[in-house]
Each structure stands twice: as C-alpha cells, then as structure tokens.
Amino acid sequence: MTRLDDVELTEHGLPPEGRGRVLLIGCGALAREVLTLKAANGWDHLDLACLPAILHNHPEKIPDAVAQEVAANRADYAQIFVLYADCGTGGLLQARCAELGVEMLDGPHCYSFFERNEVFTERGEMTAFYMTDFLVRQFDAFVTRPLGLDRHPELRDMYFGNYETLVYQAQTDNPALTEKARACAERLGLGFERRFTGYGDLETALRRL
C-alpha cells in the first residue's frame, strides 16, 4: 500500500497513480481508509486522488478544488466518483458535481457516513464533538492551532462550552489512538465516548463501484 504521511495528507493531499478505470477524488483525511479497503478487496480498478485535508477549515474552497481535479483527470478515466459528503459547503459541492456529471458520497459529513447516515440521523445528537482516526492523529493541526488554543487556552470554554462529549468514531481498533482521543477530550473539558464504526457507508459506496 502507498506509504502515507498525515502531514502531507493534511497540507498537500495525494496525487493519483494513473492506474485503474475509476478515479476517486477524496479528502486527504480518507486516504488511509480508502487504500486499506482497496488492498483488502483487490479493487485494482480504483485509483485515488486526495485534496488537502485542511480544506475542511475552508469548505467554501472545496467545490472549486474538486472541479479542478475532475477537469485535470477526466480524460484518463472511464468514471470519476467524488469521495466527499457536503462537508460544510451548504449544497454547493453537490450542485457542482451535478454540473460536472459526477456522483458523490451521500451525507452531510464524514462523521455521518462513517457511523452510517441513517444511524447518525436517528441519534440526533446536538452536544457531541466528533473525531475520526485521522482527526485524532491530526488534532493539533485541525483544532489546537487553528483555534489558537496553543496560544490562548482560555478560549477553550468559548469554543467548546456548548459541547458535552467528544465522540471518537474509530475506524480501526487501535488502543493508542483511543488513549490519544481520550486525552483530547480531557484537554477540551469534555466527556469521552468511543464508538467503533469501521468504514460505514464509505465502504458501501466503494463496493458499488
């Protein structure tokens, strides 16, 4: 499997290998999961290109970035599938994918499709702060530094005062990640819950391809 670096996935993403009939254009936060599923199932017809995961801090940039990736690669693949949910774009990504004639993942965000969209909707949680394997590993890059908590820890309660629990949606059974997620919850002053979700609707969508 391709050797991955979380910092590289956060800041730069992952280029396609140029092999396969179907190109998956996804978020760098999903790279490990997608490549693990590819390897486990022998899905050699799938190729993967990832945009920088840090785009999630600026979701208004995601539709244009996806469109550019589609335009750059359309001629080389029989099909393109976008491995993003809405991800804070307010429906703009779905509209752009419709214009481009490409399909995308169902759901509002990865916390929903990892848990499975139907289950997530039924829970209706309003006071949970969600994290995945990738976000636990990259907690400082996505939470601590962007929110200025490394410089101004007193801002913690302003940002997280309305949350009650950090819910760690675990894609893998990794005790070290679980302990790191628990430590993140303590830093944010939140309760902690771990849910093993596996790959949820992400795996279902890839199987259809």
Side-chain angles (χ1 to χ4, degrees):
M1 189 171 71
T2 303
R3 184 176 180 83
L4 299 176
D5 176 85
D6 284 334
V7 174
E8 189 73 13
L9 292 171
T10 296
E11 298 177 358
H12 303 290
L14 182 75
E17 294 184 342
R19 298 194 299 268
R21 301 187 309 276
V22 178
L23 178 65
L24 309 171
I25 297 176
C27 172
L30 301 180
R32 290 179 186 274
E33 289 72 23
V34 173
L35 293 177
T36 295
L37 286 167
K38 273 190 60 181
N41 293 281
W43 292 337
D44 296 332
H45 64 294
L46 301 179
D47 196 4
L48 175 66
C50 287
L51 300 175
I54 202 65
L55 281 176
H56 277 291
N57 285 1
H58 301 280
E60 72 280 2
K61 297 181 179 180
I62 294 175
D64 284 346
V66 167
Q68 290 170 10
E69 196 72 18
V70 170
N73 293 283
R74 191 191 289 275
D76 299 323
Y77 296 88
Q79 181 181 355
I80 292 178
F81 188 87
V82 175
L83 287 180
Y84 275 93
D86 181 73
C87 298
T89 70
L92 294 178
L93 180 58
Q94 185 175 30
R96 185 64 63 87
C97 286
E99 291 173 7
L100 295 167
V102 297
E103 293 184 77
M104 61 180 282
L105 280 173
D106 291 328
H109 39 61
C110 63
Y111 313 122
S112 178
F113 67 67
F114 273 137
E115 187 139 353
R116 298 190 184 277
N117 289 315
E118 183 178 353
V119 174
F120 186 88
T121 300
E122 288 176 353
R123 286 185 183 275
E125 293 171 322
M126 302 297 292
T127 59
F129 181 73
Y130 298 96
M131 298 191 73
T132 63
D133 283 8
F134 182 85
L135 290 175
V136 171
R137 293 193 302 267
Q138 288 290 287
F139 180 80
D140 288 336
F142 280 83
V143 179
T144 306
R145 292 195 294 271
L147 297 181
L149 298 180
D150 52 337
R151 303 180 302 279
H152 301 286
E154 70 276 8
L155 295 176
R156 183 194 72 178
D157 292 342
M158 183 181 77
Y159 286 123
F160 295 96
N162 292 325
Y163 292 104
E164 296 178 358
T165 307
L166 186 153
V167 176
Y168 168 37
Q169 296 177 325
Q171 284 71 67
T172 57
D173 192 8
N174 185 321
L177 276 184
T178 298
E179 289 311 305
K180 184 172 182 181
R182 193 186 307 276
C184 291
E186 291 177 1
R187 288 172 63 183
L188 298 180
L190 301 177
F192 178 72
E193 180 181 349
R194 178 189 183 272
R195 297 176 189 162
F196 181 76
T197 65
Y199 304 114
D201 288 341
L202 174 65
E203 181 173 5
T204 303
L206 294 183
R207 286 193 180 280
R208 286 201 304 267
L209 294 173

